[in-house]
């Protein structure tokens, strides 16, 4: 993971107000995105996504991604508008053992009578800064033709003209 | 074939079937060839953390009873239920790579594996002082109970040709102090303790040898299951709970009794091989007491009681190719097997297979199992039948059993 973005990701993940989304594609390429309320980074730098339902589309898509080495996407967006997109490969599906039991207990503490199907470990392979304020500056600097002209109009001058009958 | 050749063969099959996950091909090959654990691999085996061999109803390929990992887990949560195999027989090797157990072949690291985690109840004693794991064992998500470790088909030497249950119980009695018939209340005591571990189990599984005794043959076998299930039923708040038995093929009346009087949710009666002549040869006890056509008829009848997606039958894949009676080619074996499996699937019965592991104390233990190509084609074929006939198989999948490459593929079924 690029070191420059690691602190932002950690800050976003530490903030309970951050929206966490996991997006996958099915066999035919149909997109599918879900909120992942427990999403976090583990000590080894893998994203941990808790999949509560065995037969969910996300669970199947993640399995297909692991089997065929395909990527999923994770989006983290903070209340202040900071946003990061991470592309990653699911590398492990934990269904038993102490790590599974620990998360199973956490899920049930949070949701009551809930179940846990799989603890997914997703290895980040690419990170994109999607924070609008920063991306806007980047875009307008690198791609001046992407800007609509009305935004560049000198409003002061035209207003003065308009005022004169 | 050389060890190096085996690696190339695996890669050939991976390239030939790009739609089959590499991990499932690897699992199948490991089951086919077995594993050998190096001293380093065994040095990290810790009975507090890992499941260690101990209560198998059937024997090992190297004929030894010794503490080794019960089995392995792959990264996708799939189990490799495999048996320790002598190094001379060219198995995969489990060794350490940077401290992590890893599968090796021809000296090359192939894939990381984990040893099955130890259940919390292992090491505890029942009220009568018996170590709990001598009576109940566990897979990663399933409790395993063998309420009767003897098969009466062996009374007149009509046991199955691939089976070593009797030899194993003799060894087990001597080396492991395993009981042939543990008490039902003691089983329930252990299961109650096991259920204290959060999220560890998603099914209870029972299997025994066949018991011909009773007013109607196999009544006593059913009585054994009912007695245990009724004790287990006291632990759950729902009448039915996720559970499976692998039993003999029972009559309608027997199945009704079993279903009505217990919390049992799914039913398996292993036909072992899908060909009448081969069934008669390899399963003479089943042939003597029930017969091939009747076995199939009973499976189909079970669907009316348990429902579609809750009844299946298992094959010991590879015995259909053994000499001198088996199919002469893998192509013929595959088409004949899938043809009969389709007939069952069309009537709501799934077919699953295990890779036959030739073991020393069995009649056909000196023969070889089938090629990896055959096993992959069989897995695909059985899975495709479930797709065609919309047959769910969750009760016997990677989480609830882990021993069937074909049901691993069915993890992606959309129903
Ligand atoms: S039915 Fe066959 S495989 Fe099963 S225990 Fe008896 S002899 Fe062994």
């Amino acid at each position: 993971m690029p070191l420059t973005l690691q602190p932002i990701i950690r800050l976003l993940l530490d903030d309970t107000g951050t929206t966490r989304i996991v997006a996958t594609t099915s066999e035919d390429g149909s997109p599918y995105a879900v909120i992942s309320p427990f999403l976090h980074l583990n000590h080894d730098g893998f994203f941990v996504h808790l999949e509560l339902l065995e037969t969910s589309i996300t669970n199947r898509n993640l399995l297909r991604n692991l089997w065929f080495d395909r990527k999923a996407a994770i989006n983290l967006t903070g209340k202040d508008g900071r946003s990061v997109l991470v592309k990653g490969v699911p590398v492990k599906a934990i269904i038993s053992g102490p790590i599974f039991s620990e998360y199973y207990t956490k899920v049930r503490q949070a949701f009551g009578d809930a179940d846990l199907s799989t603890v997914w470990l997703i290895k980040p392979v690419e990170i994109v800064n999607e924070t609008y304020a920063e991306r806007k500056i980047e875009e307008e600097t690198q791609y001046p033709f992407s800007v609509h002209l009305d935004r560049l109009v000198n409003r002061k001058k035209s207003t003065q003209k308009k005022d004169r009958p | 074939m050389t060890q190096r050749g085996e690696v190339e063969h695996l890669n050939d099959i991976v390239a030939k079937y790009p739609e089959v996950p590499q991990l499932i091909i690897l699992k199948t090959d490991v089951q086919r060839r077995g594993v050998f654990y190096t001293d380093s691999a065994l040095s990290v085996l810790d009975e507090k953390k890992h499941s260690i061999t101990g209560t198998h109803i059937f024997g090992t390929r190297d004929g030894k009873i010794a503490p080794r990992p019960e089995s392995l887990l792959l990264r996708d949560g799939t189990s490799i239920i495999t048996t320790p195999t002598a190094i001379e027989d060219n198995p995969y090797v489990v060794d350490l790579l940077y401290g992590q157990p890893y599968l090796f072949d021809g000296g090359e690291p192939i894939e990381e594996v984990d040893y099955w985690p130890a259940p919390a109840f292992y090491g505890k004693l029942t009220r009568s002082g018996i170590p709990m794991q001598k009576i109940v064992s566990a897979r990663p998500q399933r409790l395993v109970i063998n309420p009767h470790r003897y098969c009466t088909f062996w009374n007149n030497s009509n046991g199955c040709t691939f089976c070593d249950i009797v030899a194993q119980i003799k060894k087990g009695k001597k080396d492991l102090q395993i009981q042939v018939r543990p008490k039902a209340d003691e089983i329930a005591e252990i299961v109650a303790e096991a259920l204290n571990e959060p999220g560890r189990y998603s099914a209870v599984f029972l299997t025994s040898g066949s018991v011909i005794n009773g007013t109607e043959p196999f009544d006593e076998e059913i009585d054994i299951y009912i007695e245990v299930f009724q004790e287990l039923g006291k632990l759950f708040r729902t009448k039915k709970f996720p559970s499976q038995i692998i039993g003999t093929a029972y009559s309608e009346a027997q199945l009704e009794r079993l279903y009505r009087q217990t919390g049992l949710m799914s039913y398996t009666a292993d036909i072992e091989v899908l060909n009448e002549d081969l069934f008669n040869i390899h399963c003479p006890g089943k042939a003597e007491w029930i017969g091939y056509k009747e076995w199939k008829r009973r499976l189909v009848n079970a669907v009316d009681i348990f429902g579609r997606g809750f009844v299946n039958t298992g094959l010991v894949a590879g015995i259909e190719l053994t000499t001198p009676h088996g199919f002469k080619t893998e192509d013929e074996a595959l088409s004949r097997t899938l043809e009969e499996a389709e007939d069952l699937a069309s009537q709501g019965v799934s077919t699953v297979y295990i890779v036959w592991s030739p073991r020393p104390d069995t009649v056909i233990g000196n023969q070889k199992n089938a090629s990896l190509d055959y096993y992959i084609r069989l897995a695909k074929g059985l899975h495709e039948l479930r797709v065609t006939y919309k047959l769910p198989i969750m009760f016997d999948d990677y989480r609830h059993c882990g021993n069937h490459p074909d049901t691993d593929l069915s993890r992606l079924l959309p129903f």
Side-chain angles (χ1 to χ4, degrees):
Chain A
M1 191 184 326
L3 289 174
T4 44
L5 285 170
Q6 262 197 35
I8 303 172
I9 287 176
R10 292 208 181 266
L11 279 173
L12 284 170
L13 288 169
D14 283 348
D15 185 345
T16 51
T18 296
T19 303
R20 299 144 207 254
I21 292 169
V22 171
T24 54
T25 46
S26 66
E27 193 170 12
D28 65 3
S30 314
Y32 204 80
V34 292
I35 298 282
S36 175
F38 297 94
L39 191 78
H40 67 280
L41 273 179
N42 73 6
H43 293 302
D44 299 322
F46 294 108
F47 281 89
V48 179
H49 164 72
L50 302 186
E51 186 55 53
L52 308 192
L53 301 173
E54 176 72 20
T55 63
S56 74
I57 291 175
T58 301
N59 207 38
R60 292 204 179 103
N61 287 351
L62 287 170
L63 175 64
R64 193 180 292 103
N65 289 1
L66 183 150
W67 275 351
F68 299 106
D69 207 22
R70 282 161 38 170
K71 289 180 199 132
I74 289 167
N75 179 272
L76 305 171
T77 300
K79 284 176 296 197
D80 60 0
R82 277 184 300 181
S83 183
V84 178
L85 181 117
V86 182
K87 292 184 195 170
V89 180
V91 288
K92 194 156 188 170
I94 302 171
I95 60 148
S96 184
I99 295 174
F100 182 86
S101 286
E102 188 190 318
Y103 285 120
Y104 178 84
T105 305
K106 271 190 189 155
V107 165
R108 290 179 58 78
Q109 279 163 356
F111 287 169
D113 186 24
D115 212 313
L116 175 64
S117 158
T118 310
V119 178
W120 283 100
L121 301 188
I122 300 171
K123 183 182 168 191
V125 291
E126 190 184 340
I127 299 179
V128 184
N129 184 2
E130 282 291 346
T131 304
Y132 176 65
E134 293 171 32
R135 284 282 297 112
K136 179 171 174 276
I137 295 167
E138 223 175 75
E139 177 105 345
E140 290 171 6
T141 316
Q142 285 181 29
Y143 304 101
F145 276 85
S146 70
V147 175
H148 283 99
L149 291 181
D150 59 291
R151 289 179 52 215
L152 304 179
V153 169
N154 185 344
R155 298 276 174 204
K156 221 170 157 186
K157 222 171 158 187
S158 56
T159 311
Q160 279 169 358
K161 267 186 193 161
K162 217 179 170 186
D163 287 348
R164 237 179 276 153
Chain B
M1 195 182 281
T2 63
Q3 287 190 342
R4 184 65 214 160
E6 293 284 3
V7 175
E8 283 161 356
H9 184 52
L10 174 71
N11 289 340
D12 289 345
I13 299 298
V14 168
K16 187 171 173 186
Y17 300 103
E19 72 283 17
V20 180
Q22 191 168 338
L23 285 176
I24 304 306
I25 297 177
L26 175 65
K27 161 191 172 142
T28 311
D29 205 30
V30 177
Q31 291 186 311
R32 196 174 71 91
R33 288 172 49 197
V35 286
F36 176 84
Y37 295 97
T38 64
D39 289 344
S40 311
L42 293 176
S43 73
V44 297
L45 188 63
D46 177 348
E47 67 177 335
K48 290 201 177 64
K49 289 191 199 152
H50 307 123
S51 276
I52 293 177
T53 44
T55 55
H56 281 305
I57 192 166
F58 300 116
T60 58
R61 211 157 169 174
D62 66 4
K64 291 183 195 157
I65 288 184
R68 283 165 303 187
E70 179 100 31
S71 270
L72 306 168
L73 268 167
L74 286 168
R75 287 185 295 118
D76 62 353
T78 305
S79 282
I80 310 181
I81 297 171
T82 182
T83 169
T85 302
I87 193 77
E88 305 76 56
D89 293 332
N90 190 26
Y92 281 82
V93 170
V94 179
D95 202 351
L96 298 184
L97 186 69
Y98 306 116
Q100 167 73 38
Y102 233 85
L103 282 167
F104 284 77
D105 196 23
E108 305 274 343
I110 306 285
E111 180 63 43
E112 73 170 65
V113 284
D114 289 320
Y115 299 156
W116 278 1
F121 71 88
Y122 277 20
K124 294 188 178 170
L125 301 177
T126 65
R127 277 192 290 274
S128 72
I130 298 172
M132 290 187 171
Q133 73 265 34
K134 303 270 181 205
I135 296 179
V136 177
S137 61
R139 289 189 179 179
Q141 280 275 312
R142 181 175 95 173
L143 284 161
V144 177
I145 300 161
N146 305 125
H148 189 254
R149 287 169 174 262
Y150 182 76
C151 178
T152 50
F153 291 155
W154 286 103
N155 289 352
N156 59 347
S157 302
N158 266 350
C160 302
T161 57
F162 49 84
C163 173
D164 57 5
I165 190 171
V166 174
Q168 182 67 4
I169 188 66
K170 281 184 192 151
K171 279 187 193 169
K173 249 186 184 165
K174 190 159 71 69
D175 301 344
L176 300 166
Q177 295 99 46
I178 300 284
Q179 301 174 21
V180 173
R181 174 111 190 245
K183 293 193 190 81
D185 58 348
E186 202 155 33
I187 291 172
E189 179 194 342
I190 299 166
V191 172
E193 176 61 34
L195 296 176
N196 288 327
E197 194 175 359
R200 178 60 206 253
Y201 305 106
S202 54
V204 181
F205 168 84
L206 276 73
T207 193
S208 295
S210 288
V211 182
I212 51 177
N213 311 2
T215 315
E216 185 185 348
F218 309 106
D219 270 352
E220 256 185 40
E221 181 179 321
I222 290 168
D223 290 343
I224 294 170
Y225 286 127
I226 289 178
E227 189 191 4
V228 174
F229 264 105
Q230 287 185 343
E231 284 299 319
L232 296 179
K234 295 175 189 167
L235 303 173
F236 298 101
R237 63 183 161 79
T238 50
K239 176 161 173 13
K240 293 279 173 191
F241 50 90
S243 49
Q244 177 191 9
I245 67 160
I246 299 184
T248 309
Y250 305 128
S251 68
E252 284 93 324
Q254 288 173 327
L255 279 171
E256 283 282 2
R257 185 158 73 92
L258 183 62
Y259 186 78
R260 253 188 298 106
Q261 295 185 15
T262 71
L264 181 62
M265 274 185 153
S266 68
Y267 172 67
T268 303
D270 288 340
I271 200 160
E272 321 289 9
V273 59
L274 278 174
N275 175 273
E276 185 160 7
D277 293 339
L278 294 176
F279 177 84
N280 292 340
I281 289 163
H282 289 288
C283 310
K286 296 183 183 194
E288 178 188 359
W289 287 91
I290 296 169
Y292 186 73
K293 292 190 179 75
E294 178 64 9
W295 193 285
K296 285 171 105 176
R297 200 188 65 77
R298 290 180 178 198
L299 279 167
V300 173
N301 283 339
V303 178
D304 290 338
I305 295 168
F306 287 86
R308 277 175 65 84
F310 295 94
V311 177
N312 71 351
T313 190
L315 308 179
V316 181
I319 63 168
E320 64 278 25
L321 284 151
T322 50
T323 55
H325 306 287
F327 296 114
K328 297 293 173 265
T329 67
E330 292 188 342
D331 282 347
E332 186 192 1
L334 194 73
S335 68
R336 299 276 294 273
T337 299
L338 290 177
E339 192 183 310
E340 295 214 23
E342 175 149 23
D343 178 49
L344 287 171
S346 68
Q347 299 174 82
V349 178
S350 248
T351 302
V352 301
Y353 81 83
I354 61 167
V355 174
W356 169 48
S357 164
R359 293 191 297 264
D361 292 317
T362 62
V363 175
I364 51 172
N366 59 347
Q367 298 206 37
K368 283 206 175 331
N369 51 23
S371 73
L372 178 57
D373 187 79
Y374 177 74
Y375 285 118
I376 297 307
R377 286 195 289 161
L378 184 60
K380 272 165 53 72
L382 295 176
H383 165 68
E384 281 157 15
L385 288 177
R386 280 191 281 278
V387 175
T388 305
Y389 292 95
K390 297 203 167 30
L391 274 179
I393 191 70
M394 193 187 262
F395 78 94
D396 211 351
D397 67 359
Y398 80 107
R399 179 180 287 271
H400 300 95
C401 177
N403 208 4
H404 312 300
D406 56 289
T407 72
D408 290 336
L409 299 180
S410 298
R411 286 172 74 175
L412 293 178
L413 282 179
F415 43 79

